[in-house]
Amino acid sequence: MHAPSVLVVGAGFGGIAAAIELRAHGIRDVTIVDAADGIGGTWLHNTYPGAACDVPSHLYSYSFAQRTDWSRLCSPQPEILAYLRGVVAEFGVDELVQTGVRIVDARRDEADGPWTVTADDGRTWTPDVLIVATGQLNRPVSPDLPGVDSFAGTMFHSARWDHDHDLRGRRVAVIGTGASAVQFVPAIAPEVGHMTVFQRSGNWFLPRRNRRFPAWWRAAIARVPGLQAARRRFITEYCEALTLMIRHPATWGRLGRLYATLFMRAQLRDPEVRRKVWPDYTFGCKRILFSSHWLPALQRPNVEVETSRIAAVEPTGVRTEDGTLHEVDTIIWGTGFAATDFMFPMEISGPGGRSLRTEWSDGAHAYLGMTVPGFPSLFVLYGPNTNTSGGSIVRYLEHQVRYVREALQEAARRGASGVEVRPEVEQAYDEEVQARFPGTAWTRCDSWYRDDTGRIVTNWPGYMREYDERTRRVEPSDYVFH
């Protein structure tokens, strides 16, 4: 039984998990490449003040590499990055990683032949298997506003924070009010001179103070048998309850909305700020955010919320459609990522010159979010319709890498060089997934979950336990082995 060679693109949670899983089961020829200068993926890039995960760390971590010394419910970025580096060292993955490698093209000319993968500096790899683990939240985006290049001050995206730029006393424009802004605005508001937060729509919030765990609790987690596992189970069920609310907006969703309403009204003492930031869409349609600090920050005397749309950026500031020029010397983009683009602009071609970009022109789709007909031995981690609105993507990734490993083992048992999902299997699965969205909160507004066609391409429509079950074993009849 010949073990294949594998190239993994991306050294975040998914790529690291893939390497550990494959090598633990005898697939030793694994290489990881990443465009960054180190491992960590989003947790290497997002170093903005206040950066943390909004999923509790006892769940947002590998099941096979648990830690009992997390400092908080939701750990800050440095702690998560240190955790990943520790896992990489513990499992010997560091020797597999090549950094500073930006892949631009991958093609497979024959169904039973290797991939030819090319970096922007001309280097090439010829693996039997290509695993794309770039994720959904890897490429920052900012709007192409008129005059943006004329701005005379300092401008940067939250995912590429300029730590050399001193914000003390500055007049700052924050454009965007998503999950990143919700974390960095409260962190920098006390030090800036004045901040204008430009908002397109408000958010639904649930509380999260995220204080440090007391010493007794950390000692209990470390020493009481079964407490860590019980903690993971509790957090899992809490997260599944969020999905329940999103899936049933007219019933369970009303309870979630009531809880959020009571919390937000208690925090929003300023009636004008309350009017501006109150969401006008169904609870759960967009990402539910967790913060006990965002709404108070918006009511600081040096913070202003602006809801008029931006017309242009000028050398001295931001002009809104009502004609007002908001003079600032710093612009911070909190405008998120190209979540629906997945691995693009990387070009991927299968036998016969089949283009993945063309295949996905009407919306990204993949069987179990991982594999696409016409592209043998290509697997995508955190791919189409595998984002979780209430849960841990790390749990999904563990199931995905186990599934990929089993698929490769099945191919090896058959003496096959390529494994490809059958078109009718993938099509039926995609139709089933899309059919589960109508009637849910996800369909009741526009969000980053949708692509330009309006199709929801990022999110899994069900519960974590359902995805666990769907990926529990590989059904050989779903595949063609070349």
Side-chain angles (χ1 to χ4, degrees):
M1 188 168 69
H2 170 67
S5 59
V6 180
L7 181 70
V8 180
V9 182
F13 265 101
I16 292 167
I20 292 172
E21 175 73 14
L22 294 175
R23 284 165 60 91
H25 291 84
I27 302 175
R28 308 291 299 177
D29 188 356
V30 179
T31 301
I32 304 176
V33 296
D34 197 289
D37 59 3
I39 67 99
T42 190
W43 298 109
L44 178 68
H45 291 300
N46 286 268
T47 61
Y48 56 80
C53 186
D54 57 5
V55 177
S57 295
H58 290 110
L59 186 61
Y60 193 81
S61 49
Y62 297 123
S63 64
F64 56 82
Q66 285 294 291
R67 264 183 58 176
T68 58
D69 60 346
W70 295 110
S71 67
R72 302 168 188 268
L73 176 69
C74 298
S75 296
Q77 175 266 339
E79 211 168 318
I80 298 172
L81 184 58
Y83 166 77
L84 279 173
R85 287 172 172 165
V87 171
V88 163
E90 178 184 352
F91 288 89
V93 175
D94 43 358
E95 65 190 41
L96 311 177
V97 180
Q98 299 178 27
T99 58
V101 178
R102 184 176 299 279
I103 300 300
V104 294
D105 184 80
R107 60 185 61 251
R108 188 181 182 106
D109 295 328
E110 304 293 337
D112 59 354
W115 286 92
T116 299
V117 183
T118 307
D120 60 358
D121 60 5
R123 281 182 288 174
T124 61
W125 292 259
T126 55
D128 299 314
V129 178
L130 176 62
I131 298 177
V132 178
T134 51
Q136 296 184 15
L137 307 177
N138 66 90
R139 192 157 61 87
V141 294
S142 54
D144 186 19
L145 295 170
V148 69
D149 293 334
S150 72
F151 184 61
T154 299
M155 186 167 53
F156 53 88
H157 193 282
S158 63
R160 302 294 184 268
W161 196 270
D162 184 352
H163 290 278
D164 294 329
H165 183 61
D166 190 351
L167 290 171
R168 287 176 294 183
R170 298 282 190 179
R171 296 171 301 166
V172 178
V174 173
I175 299 176
T177 55
S180 298
V182 163
Q183 293 183 343
F184 73 73
V185 163
I188 67 174
E191 65 182 72
V192 303
H194 185 270
M195 178 190 296
T196 304
V197 177
F198 292 86
Q199 172 196 279
R200 283 197 303 181
S201 62
N203 298 300
W204 284 109
F205 283 93
L206 293 175
R208 192 197 74 181
R209 298 198 66 82
N210 209 30
R211 297 189 182 99
R212 292 186 68 85
F213 286 139
W216 67 265
W217 172 252
R218 295 175 69 178
I221 285 286
R223 297 173 187 170
V224 176
L227 184 57
Q228 168 85 322
R231 180 71 169 162
R232 276 175 64 90
R233 286 195 298 272
F234 173 79
I235 296 169
T236 296
E237 293 308 315
Y238 180 84
C239 291
E240 296 284 59
L242 292 176
T243 302
L244 176 70
M245 294 174 187
I246 297 169
R247 284 203 50 78
H248 301 282
T251 52
W252 295 104
R254 290 181 183 270
L255 294 178
R257 180 183 179 123
L258 176 61
Y259 182 28
T261 297
L262 294 173
F263 165 67
M264 292 171 65
R265 283 193 171 274
Q267 287 213 313
L268 286 165
R269 300 299 186 182
D270 186 321
E272 179 62 15
V273 176
R274 180 192 298 172
R275 181 188 66 80
K276 287 182 175 181
V277 306
W278 202 266
D280 60 357
Y281 54 86
T282 301
F283 177 82
C285 178
K286 299 185 181 184
R287 183 173 177 178
I288 301 166
L289 300 179
F290 295 82
S291 175
S292 297
H293 303 292
W294 166 259
L295 297 175
L298 298 185
Q299 298 168 94
R300 292 178 57 91
N302 66 330
V303 177
E304 170 191 4
V305 178
E306 178 56 63
T307 57
S308 182
R309 294 182 69 87
I310 297 173
V313 177
E314 300 183 8
T316 59
V318 178
R319 190 174 296 278
T320 47
E321 289 183 347
D322 61 6
T324 303
L325 176 64
H326 302 265
E327 294 188 350
V328 298
D329 53 57
T330 304
I331 295 176
I332 304 175
W333 302 103
T335 44
F337 304 87
T340 61
D341 285 356
F342 298 96
M343 73 290 292
F344 301 130
M346 183 194 311
E347 293 294 339
I348 298 181
S349 304
R354 186 171 191 161
S355 165
L356 186 61
R357 185 183 296 276
T358 301
E359 184 71 17
W360 283 359
S361 60
D362 292 328
H365 55 90
Y367 182 54
L368 300 173
M370 288 184 273
T371 179
V372 184
F375 299 86
S377 297
L378 167 69
F379 296 93
V380 183
L381 304 182
Y382 196 4
N385 294 115
T386 61
N387 186 54
T388 165
S389 291
S392 170
I393 189 59
V394 179
R395 176 169 170 168
Y396 284 58
L397 290 168
E398 284 194 52
H399 286 283
Q400 289 172 2
V401 299
R402 189 196 67 245
Y403 186 92
V404 170
R405 183 260 301 168
E406 290 182 1
L408 298 182
Q409 288 178 323
E410 182 64 31
R413 277 193 290 269
R414 295 165 179 258
S417 299
V419 53
E420 175 185 353
V421 67
R422 295 181 182 276
E424 65 274 15
V425 171
E426 194 273 340
Q427 181 179 351
Y429 169 82
D430 182 57
E431 290 173 354
E432 174 194 343
V433 166
Q434 293 300 317
R436 296 190 66 191
F437 285 114
T440 68
W442 288 299
T443 64
R444 301 195 177 187
C445 68
D446 190 22
S447 70
W448 62 263
Y449 303 148
R450 298 171 179 260
D451 66 7
D452 293 339
T453 71
R455 172 187 167 98
I456 298 175
V457 297
T458 61
N459 282 30
W460 171 245
Y463 303 93
M464 287 186 287
R465 61 179 178 270
E466 291 180 301
Y467 192 78
D468 296 353
E469 187 60 35
R470 291 299 297 263
T471 56
R472 194 164 301 282
R473 64 181 297 273
V474 173
E475 176 53 61
S477 63
D478 290 343
Y479 292 89
V480 176
F481 296 90
H482 300 285

